[in-house]
Amino acid sequence: MCSTFTIFVLSFQSGERYMKIQLLWVGRTAKSYVSEAIDEYAGRIGRYMPFETVQLADVKNAGHLTSSEVRDREGEMILKALRSDDMVVLLDDKGREYTSIEFASWIGGMANRSVRQLVFVIGGAYGFSRGVYDRADALLSISRMTFSHQIVRPIFLEQLYRAMTILRGEPYHHEESLIRRRG
């Protein structure tokens, strides 16, 4: 099955107003190698467009709470961190899956729609509260596989960086070689 989509090539000239992208998550990053990967890809993405990561605090006394209570408290923190005009995308296993090129095209479309701030949200170990789902504008799945909420951070950032290079027509992504291997 072949689908047609448009790649939006973004120009990144100083002085213009750009969409800002934010990656928001709950809880500290425990492993140094995960933090290093996050820092590496966040720095790369920042060369293409305004970008920041936002780490919300762990829920206090989570060990004395049910999973539902933890999820609800995390949800309250997430909702407080969002602005009313944010385009909110939850990274969720029930979300839509894209190829890397389709994801890049989607990001380009958001920028061309004049979205001011695109916020991707990674939930905690117990997922998202009903209130966070209700606030979301879209759900995105990066895989049908399950990843820990910590390791998904650098995995997603690599895909976001890949999308930036695709939008700029840079050689980081090698789609042709992937197609040859499948055929």
Side-chain angles (χ1 to χ4, degrees):
M1 183 166 106
C2 184
S3 63
T4 304
F5 51 91
T6 304
I7 292 290
F8 298 90
V9 179
L10 300 179
S11 64
F12 300 97
Q13 300 173 1
S14 61
E16 291 184 23
R17 187 175 177 154
Y18 296 108
M19 173 176 74
K20 178 179 181 182
I21 298 179
Q22 184 179 85
L23 177 61
L24 182 147
W25 66 77
V26 176
R28 67 181 181 84
T29 303
K31 301 292 184 186
S32 63
Y33 63 88
V34 175
S35 292
E36 290 170 17
I38 289 169
D39 292 344
E40 173 67 25
Y41 284 107
R44 291 183 186 191
I45 295 163
R47 292 192 296 259
Y48 293 90
M49 67 175 35
F51 175 77
E52 73 175 336
T53 59
V54 175
Q55 176 180 296
L56 302 177
D58 287 302
V59 170
K60 292 180 181 171
N61 300 315
H64 299 1
L65 303 173
T66 66
S67 59
S68 179
E69 290 170 326
V70 170
R71 185 174 45 245
D72 288 344
R73 289 193 185 172
E74 288 174 346
E76 290 169 9
M77 290 189 304
I78 290 168
L79 292 171
K80 284 180 187 173
L82 298 172
R83 298 182 333 203
S84 62
D85 62 340
D86 287 343
M87 169 76 170
V88 178
V89 181
L90 305 183
L91 298 186
D92 188 89
D93 61 355
K94 296 173 226 45
R96 181 170 177 190
E97 289 183 339
Y98 292 98
T99 66
S100 294
I101 290 176
E102 290 168 337
F103 180 58
S105 180
W106 185 83
I107 294 281
M110 292 298 106
N112 287 331
R113 280 184 39 201
S114 300
V115 170
R116 290 184 54 159
Q117 181 159 278
L118 181 58
V119 181
F120 293 96
V121 184
I122 299 172
Y126 303 113
F128 296 109
S129 68
R130 175 55 30 213
V132 173
Y133 277 115
D134 291 345
R135 172 60 181 86
D137 296 295
L139 303 179
L140 171 68
S141 173
I142 61 170
S143 175
R144 289 184 294 188
M145 293 184 202
T146 301
F147 299 102
S148 77
H149 61 284
Q150 289 198 28
I151 203 68
V152 78
R153 298 166 188 172
I155 291 172
F156 176 73
L157 287 173
E158 191 281 335
Q159 284 300 301
L160 190 54
Y161 170 69
R162 183 176 296 272
M164 297 296 110
T165 65
I166 290 168
L167 289 169
R168 288 284 298 267
E170 296 175 358
Y172 182 77
H173 181 73
H174 305 287
E175 185 72 17
E176 189 175 335
S177 64
L178 294 173
I179 292 169
R180 266 200 302 264
R181 273 188 256 147
R182 280 190 239 144

